[in-house]
Amino acid sequence: MSPYDPADFPPFAVTVDLVVLTVRRDALCALAVRRGESPFQGCWALPGGFVRADEDLAGAAGRELSEETGLLAYDPGGPVPAAGGAHLEQLATYGDPARDPRMRVVSVAHLVLAPDLPAPRAGGDARSARWAPVESLLGEGPGAARDGEQAVRLAFDHGRILADGVERARSKIEYSSLATAFCPPEFTVGELRRVYEAVWGVALDPRNFHRKVTGTPGFLVPTGGTTTRQGGRPAQLFRAGGATLLNPPMLRPEV
Amino acid sequence: MSPYDPADFPPFAVTVDLVVLTVRRDALCALAVRRGESPFQGCWALPGGFVRADEDLAGAAGRELSEETGLLAYDPGGPVPAAGGAHLEQLATYGDPARDPRMRVVSVAHLVLAPDLPAPRAGGDARSARWAPVESLLGEGPGAARDGEQAVRLAFDHGRILADGVERARSKIEYSSLATAFCPPEFTVGELRRVYEAVWGVALDPRNFHRKVTGTPGFLVPTGGTTTRQGGRPAQLFRAGGATLLNPPMLRPEV
DNA sequence: GCAAAAGTGTTAAAGCTACACCCATGA
DNA sequence: TCATGGGTGTAGCTTTAACACTTTTGC
């Protein structure tokens, strides 16, 4: 093989696509943007865009994220849990020759876990953006189109990418402290439990959950404050501790 | 944003690189090839090559694998454990602008777990290939350069890619049945245990290990045969069962 | 017989599940 | 006072870790 010669390899376009997840009103939601151009004009799609010539992949993902949502990724490049800051990590790369009808595009998908935000901000190019429950985007389960939520089909292979991202999030909160990335900087044990319940779609025993998370060293750090924002007896407030790997892991009940 | 215009995005070269792991003489080893050209001429590197214009990413990885080793990936595209067939899955994508001094190259790394093979086969382009213990390639631990093994520095960012692949393999055999991909089609419980010990670098209790793997439904299927190839009392032979996820997982002892 | 590897039994500690029960607030 | 969510105690079960012990081969 001779040294790199333009004739040796076909040129590719490289993009980043973002699976941005949050928990809103006890449901796992993903950020979707409306496409303004063909193909799939008017369809919902994942946010994303081209990687620039001088840009790292994680850097491109962080830039797209802030352009689309105003969110700042806490640490592009490495998985770092941080309550109140968005977590960003690489998800997988999609390169089917037919995934874009116009040209050869390889997309490096990234996964973002964000706390609940006031409202999504549409990009500068006037496309609209919304948080949609993942089940309505994936056609998953019986509630796929309930409550006036429209079941939609995402553009390109974005349905597959979203499904992979959701699966990654579901399994990762099991053995890491990443669930705190869905929470505000200070949160209660009950709020953290509702995150697990929304992401997994199951009910957890509040008493055993409380014992488990407070008993796992490094997971939660009490701030000393309390809150009654959920009603009932005042609850202690916590910040995310430094631990990233949970040992033993949280146990996801059988489905 | 206007429809795709060649001026909108810079062209990238897209390659696949392979982390091919096997267990030889109770050590976790990776396949390395000698570079025949600049830069890093004469250095060791991971096998890999350009993705073709009409080719899927997993297809390119499978093609490179068979070109370099003669191995057939059992199921390119999906993680499927199979004793006797190589397992192939996507690992991660590396796209630092400076990772290749000549041009912008994005590499989609793949992870291959293979049973011990007679000998690596050099590619058609006369580059030499060898199995090297991962610790000698990573500079890991006290045995990094023992036994006449030369500690080497891999070309480009391949050291980082290899480290990520090894870490993926180490964690994945914990909760999946992938360790069987390192075994021949029929194997004993002791042989499987030595795989875990080599990959994790720890000693496991043979009695508890035996109970655990034979008691996990779907992990192992007895073939009825026995062998004494390891010496001592004849051991039952097993094939990999259909289960891919182990519940409960194998427990990796604390380090 | 002896070494070596396979495989079974047993026991104590640790972890999990389920649920009874009490606590502190707002309405 | 009542509803609501927060938090503790505890009994029973399952899983794990450590190790004694038996089995079946090759030499």
Side-chain angles (χ1 to χ4, degrees), chain B residues 133-146 151 170 201 255:
Chain B
V134 295
E135 51 181 23
S136 77
L137 294 173
L138 294 175
E140 191 185 58
R146 60 137 198 241
R170 282 183 177 150
V255 201

Side-chain angles (χ1 to χ4, degrees), chain B residues 26-245:
Chain B
D26 292 329
L28 182 63
C29 294
L31 186 63
V33 299
R34 176 93 73 173
R35 281 183 62 78
E37 64 193 52
S38 170
F40 298 102
Q41 184 165 19
C43 277
W44 293 98
L46 299 178
F50 291 108
V51 178
R52 296 180 181 163
D54 56 349
E55 201 176 38
D56 195 1
L57 298 175
R63 175 179 53 74
E64 290 288 342
L65 178 65
S66 68
E67 285 176 11
E68 303 274 359
T69 67
L71 272 170
L72 281 188
Y74 186 77
D75 179 16
V80 171
H87 164 86
L88 186 149
E89 69 179 53
Q90 195 185 103
L91 177 57
T93 298
Y94 300 82
D96 188 280
R99 65 182 292 277
D100 188 312
R102 293 158 302 179
M103 61 182 308
R104 188 72 200 264
V105 180
V106 164
S107 177
V108 184
H110 287 71
L111 177 64
V112 176
L113 308 185
D116 193 5
L117 300 166
R121 166 176 114 185
D125 52 2
R127 290 179 297 178
S128 54
R130 73 183 261 230
W131 292 110
V134 295
E135 51 181 23
S136 77
L137 294 173
L138 294 175
E140 191 185 58
R146 60 137 198 241
D147 292 347
E149 292 289 356
Q150 190 83 1
V152 297
R153 189 124 303 273
L154 289 171
F156 304 108
D157 52 2
H158 289 187
R160 165 84 189 287
I161 299 175
L162 175 62
D164 291 347
V166 168
E167 180 48 38
R168 170 82 67 89
R170 282 183 177 150
S171 71
K172 236 175 155 173
I173 65 172
E174 218 166 335
Y175 57 89
S176 80
S177 60
L178 271 185
T180 57
F182 286 117
C183 295
E186 299 199 349
F187 53 91
T188 68
V189 171
E191 287 163 352
L192 183 62
R193 176 172 47 80
R194 277 181 281 276
V195 164
Y196 275 91
E197 292 178 329
V199 176
W200 284 344
V202 298
L204 299 173
D205 184 305
R207 292 96 58 148
N208 292 335
F209 183 88
H210 186 280
R211 226 191 321 264
K212 176 98 175 185
V213 296
T214 56
T216 298
F219 193 4
L220 300 182
V221 178
T223 66
T226 62
T227 181
T228 59
R229 62 187 174 219
Q230 301 293 337
R233 168 175 165 180
Q236 280 184 271
L237 284 168
F238 294 88
R239 283 182 294 104
T244 57
L245 259 48

